[in-house]
Amino acid sequence: MSTPALSTVQYVILCCLAWRGPQTPYQLKDYIARVVSWVWDFPHTQLYTEPPKLCALGLLREDREEQGRRRRTYTITEEGLAVVRAWLAEPPTKAPQIRDLGLLKLHFSAVSEPEAVRRLARSQVEVHTARARSLAAALAESDADPAHRRYVRSGGRYGLASEELSVAFWRDVAADPERCAEAARRGGATVEPFRPSHPASDIPDG
Amino acid sequence: MSTPALSTVQYVILCCLAWRGPQTPYQLKDYIARVVSWVWDFPHTQLYTEPPKLCALGLLREDREEQGRRRRTYTITEEGLAVVRAWLAEPPTKAPQIRDLGLLKLHFSAVSEPEAVRRLARSQVEVHTARARSLAAALAESDADPAHRRYVRSGGRYGLASEELSVAFWRDVAADPERCAEAARRGGATVEPFRPSHPASDIPDG
DNA sequence: GGGTACATGTAATCAGTTACATGATTTA
DNA sequence: TAAATCATGTAACTGATTACATGTACCC
């Protein structure tokens, strides 16, 4: 048996409902935008189109308000919970993907002026600083109900470290694109990983 | 004027051709799979469907073999080069995206057994170790023509550091999921970024 | 009571993926 | 010359995104 393999977005929806109890699409949207989007983002419209499909598969149940906004509230079924557990238990088959226009543009920046590279780097410092801040904020809220959330903060700590690394890297590029390229060129066939030159964690607060 | 905004894949194709001279789809595939896919991956079929569209826009020129495989070789035009330069010069509008099933599953793993989490972590150690290795290999080749490649290695160094961080993180989780979750729980509202406990760079070679 | 922001959706489009299929070249 | 692998593509599908549209609640 087993359901015909769901999309990742569908699994995310199931997980959120398994995790936080019955929710409306809007509540899901809120949580996902704040907490999950760091690692898997998608537009809110899918939160309205996917749950009905999951209902048809018997993985969710829908209750609808009679009055006012006629909100739909979705609840995970036993069968849905089993699907979630099975999915979590199997190691991922697809490789992790990064889609980072900043890194992509840097890669091809040999045809750019150094000044353009510097602008790029500065914009990325902003972007990653903001990401670090919003992730930290989301994690701070996860203070409540510590037993249930177990690994949320564990992954969050990785996220913070990763954003910190990005900020340090782009600062380095912004400071001097040419020197930075030069440093990377040394060593011939062996390339050293980037190491922040300053002690970590000087990302300014809110 | 200006072209009607291209997809990122189309920009990647233009960049590769601006970068490395005339290429067939298969040559593009080879380079992208080895070097670019770390930051922006996509299936090879697009390398056959997109270039004709770019030709229609006047950004590429196509030459076709008369004999044998009748390969199509694409060359960037002056207009294409201008588009590339303009694209590189403007800072990215879209936020970077991570799509990592490992982190996603960890996030929701409160309903899993610790043993399942450990399996997950071990699989991710493998995945990121392999990524670090293939990235290092690709960068080693970029030894040739250092002037032209300028920033490739610079971004590559970031990539290596990032994979190293991932490996260290997942090793930590694999060693003891519970302790790791416990450590993340401390501190109440403030969450500390993950720091590798061992000195970096003990990823085994080949 | 009028404006603004919040909330809830639908429909069309399209980029990206999957699945398939065949031709050319190399190797045993 | 058969098998295996490398190389080149096509077509159908579908998940995801964009654009739109409207209703509800709150605030001044």
Side-chain angles (χ1 to χ4, degrees):
Chain A
M1 66 135 288
S2 87
T3 44
L6 308 173
S7 72
T8 303
V9 167
Q10 291 178 320
Y11 284 117
V12 170
I13 292 169
L14 289 180
C15 284
C16 287
L17 294 169
W19 191 240
R20 327 188 72 225
Q23 304 253 289
T24 68
Y26 191 79
Q27 291 174 305
L28 286 168
K29 172 192 157 178
D30 177 60
Y31 180 73
I32 289 168
R34 279 187 302 108
V35 184
V36 183
S37 67
W38 189 80
V39 35
W40 205 281
D41 200 17
F42 53 91
H44 78 277
T45 52
Q46 279 186 282
L47 296 170
Y48 293 93
T49 54
E50 298 305 319
K53 299 179 196 170
L54 296 170
C55 284
L57 292 169
L59 307 179
L60 296 182
R61 193 162 39 76
E62 175 185 312
D63 296 296
R64 188 152 193 188
E65 281 182 356
E66 288 305 325
Q67 308 299 338
R69 300 208 161 181
R70 301 187 39 77
R71 292 181 184 88
R72 299 163 204 265
T73 299
Y74 294 97
T75 308
I76 196 161
T77 63
E78 275 306 313
E79 205 176 342
L81 205 55
V83 167
V84 165
R85 273 191 231 275
W87 180 69
L88 288 174
E90 76 191 30
T93 51
K94 317 263 177 191
Q97 296 231 347
I98 296 174
R99 288 175 117 82
D100 186 322
L101 285 175
L103 289 171
L104 186 60
K105 289 189 178 191
L106 181 68
H107 186 277
F108 290 111
S109 283
V111 295
S112 297
E113 310 296 316
E115 192 45 45
V117 176
R118 178 173 271 133
R119 269 206 313 280
L120 171 64
R122 277 201 281 252
S123 77
Q124 294 311 98
V125 169
E126 295 304 314
V127 166
H128 287 284
T129 302
R131 279 165 75 87
R133 271 211 281 271
S134 70
L135 181 57
L139 292 174
E141 290 180 35
S142 74
D143 193 19
D145 193 5
H148 190 217
R149 308 291 161 87
R150 275 252 276 301
Y151 300 107
V152 171
R153 282 177 161 223
S154 194
R157 292 178 73 212
Y158 168 83
L160 289 175
S162 170
E163 294 300 336
E164 230 175 44
L165 178 67
S166 295
V167 170
F169 171 71
W170 286 111
R171 274 190 186 157
D172 206 48
V173 176
D176 191 344
E178 286 297 329
R179 181 189 51 68
C180 190
E182 192 55 49
R185 204 167 305 144
R186 280 194 290 271
T190 53
V191 179
E192 285 298 308
F194 168 78
R195 308 264 179 236
S197 44
H198 302 293
S201 190
D202 54 343
I203 296 178
D205 287 334
Chain B
M1 66 134 287
S2 87
T3 45
L6 308 174
S7 70
T8 303
V9 167
Q10 291 178 319
Y11 284 117
V12 170
I13 292 170
L14 288 180
C15 284
C16 288
L17 293 169
W19 192 241
R20 326 189 73 225
Q23 305 255 287
T24 68
Y26 190 78
Q27 291 174 305
L28 286 169
K29 171 192 158 181
D30 176 60
Y31 180 73
I32 289 168
R34 279 187 301 110
V35 183
V36 182
S37 68
W38 188 80
V39 34
W40 206 281
D41 201 16
F42 55 91
H44 78 277
T45 51
Q46 281 186 281
L47 296 170
Y48 293 94
T49 55
E50 298 306 318
K53 299 180 196 169
L54 295 170
C55 284
L57 292 170
L59 307 178
L60 296 183
R61 193 163 39 77
E62 175 186 311
D63 297 295
R64 188 152 192 187
E65 280 182 356
E66 287 306 323
Q67 308 299 337
R69 302 207 162 181
R70 300 184 42 76
R71 293 181 184 88
R72 300 163 204 264
T73 298
Y74 294 97
T75 307
I76 196 162
T77 63
E78 274 306 312
E79 204 177 341
L81 204 55
V83 167
V84 164
R85 273 191 230 275
W87 180 69
L88 288 174
E90 77 192 29
T93 51
K94 318 263 177 190
Q97 296 231 347
I98 295 174
R99 287 174 117 83
D100 187 323
L101 285 175
L103 289 172
L104 186 60
K105 289 190 177 189
L106 180 68
H107 185 276
F108 290 111
S109 283
V111 295
S112 297
E113 310 297 316
E115 193 44 45
V117 176
R118 179 173 270 133
R119 270 206 313 281
L120 172 64
R122 279 200 280 253
S123 78
Q124 295 310 100
V125 170
E126 295 305 314
V127 165
H128 288 283
T129 303
R131 279 164 75 87
R133 271 211 281 272
S134 70
L135 181 57
L139 292 175
E141 289 180 35
S142 74
D143 193 19
D145 193 5
H148 189 218
R149 307 291 162 86
R150 276 251 276 298
Y151 300 107
V152 171
R153 282 175 160 224
S154 192
R157 292 179 73 209
Y158 167 83
L160 289 175
S162 170
E163 294 300 337
E164 232 175 43
L165 178 66
S166 294
V167 169
F169 170 71
W170 285 111
R171 274 191 187 157
D172 206 49
V173 176
D176 191 343
E178 285 297 329
R179 180 189 52 68
C180 191
E182 191 57 48
R185 206 168 305 144
R186 280 194 290 273
T190 53
V191 179
E192 286 297 309
F194 168 77
R195 307 264 179 238
S197 43
H198 302 293
S201 191
D202 55 342
I203 296 178
D205 287 334

